[in-house]
Amino acid sequence: MLNDLKKFLDQKYEFYNQPGFITSDPVQIPHRFSRKEDIEISAFLTAIIAWGQRKTIINNATRLMFLMDNHPHDFIVNANEKDFEIFLDFKHRTFNGDDAVYFLSSLKNLYLYHGGPGTFFEKKYRETGEIRNCLIEFRKIFFELPHLPRSEKHIANIQKKASAKRLNMFLRWMVRKDNGGVDFGLWNIPASALYIPLDIHTGTVARKLGLLTRKQDDWNAVEELTNNLRVFDPKDPVKYDFALFGLGAFEGVLSKNLEIIYLKNPKSQIPNPK
């Protein structure tokens, strides 16, 4: 049964991990850039607002890039407080203008004094050998500047058992590298260290497949699911994010026997975001 399930998930991973996926997903935003720093910034900000309808996420992330003249790194490192004020009218669900201004200010601080998020995560991973610890330290450094308490809710606190879906998705984008062309592989961190970006789609499908028993979508569930996926591919467990997310978001899988049904009836194309 495990071999059948692995075969099924490998099939779905290969189906979704291709350029057609980019056009329907927020990952298209960083794919508009070629400079490493621009990719990092656009990916991070896109991931941070990545909840709700994908079309709205893409539109609002596009607006963020437009407000930075589509040169995010140059804008951020050279901006002053007055320049950041144009973001005060920005809003995506509960992420408002005050949050946007602080996040840009913190990114500037990261690049000027910590080498940027890539350098920070690589250094912390070399020191600790564990992404969990990197996420904890990143949150501390990100909020080292004076800020409104409300902004803290937009960076997951895994010490309080948050699943850190958006941060894990950002890390997947930055770390994984293969021939699919979706993820960027910019950072020198092994893909084996990553954790699954757990959301309602991946969680629902994982439970129906018997890969996840925990009912809450929290950090314990992230660890359980990632460890189970490491049985299938210890070097790259989060590649199955493509399969689990695709089955839930695009194919609306509900059947308990979905691995049998969808092996016989694979989808022929990836739908556009709704």
Side-chain angles (χ1 to χ4, degrees), residues 35-47:
R35 185 180 179 185
K36 176 187 176 184
E37 293 82 3
D38 289 338
I39 294 170
E40 287 178 341
I41 293 169
S42 60
F44 176 74
L45 293 174
T46 300

Side-chain angles (χ1 to χ4, degrees), residues 29 49 54-64 90:
I29 303 297
I49 65 169
R54 279 170 289 144
K55 184 177 181 180
T56 303
I57 296 166
I58 292 166
N59 288 343
N60 284 336
T62 298
R63 184 177 175 226
L64 283 175
F90 181 82

Side-chain angles (χ1 to χ4, degrees), residues 41 44-45 48 64 68 75-76 79-81 83-90 95-111 114 137-155:
I41 293 169
F44 176 74
L45 293 174
I48 288 301
L64 283 175
M68 291 185 282
F75 177 87
I76 285 175
N80 55 39
E81 291 183 13
D83 295 324
F84 286 145
E85 288 180 2
I86 63 173
F87 292 87
L88 286 174
D89 291 331
F90 181 82
F95 187 90
N96 68 13
D98 289 326
D99 300 321
V101 169
Y102 180 77
F103 271 61
L104 296 175
S105 300
S106 186
L107 282 170
K108 180 174 182 175
N109 183 59
L110 270 171
Y111 278 102
H114 301 286
E137 293 303 314
F138 177 75
R139 191 175 192 277
K140 292 178 182 177
I141 210 76
F142 195 82
F143 289 115
E144 71 177 3
L145 301 178
H147 61 278
L148 297 174
R150 59 157 289 116
S151 295
E152 294 188 9
K153 66 184 177 182
H154 297 296
I155 297 287

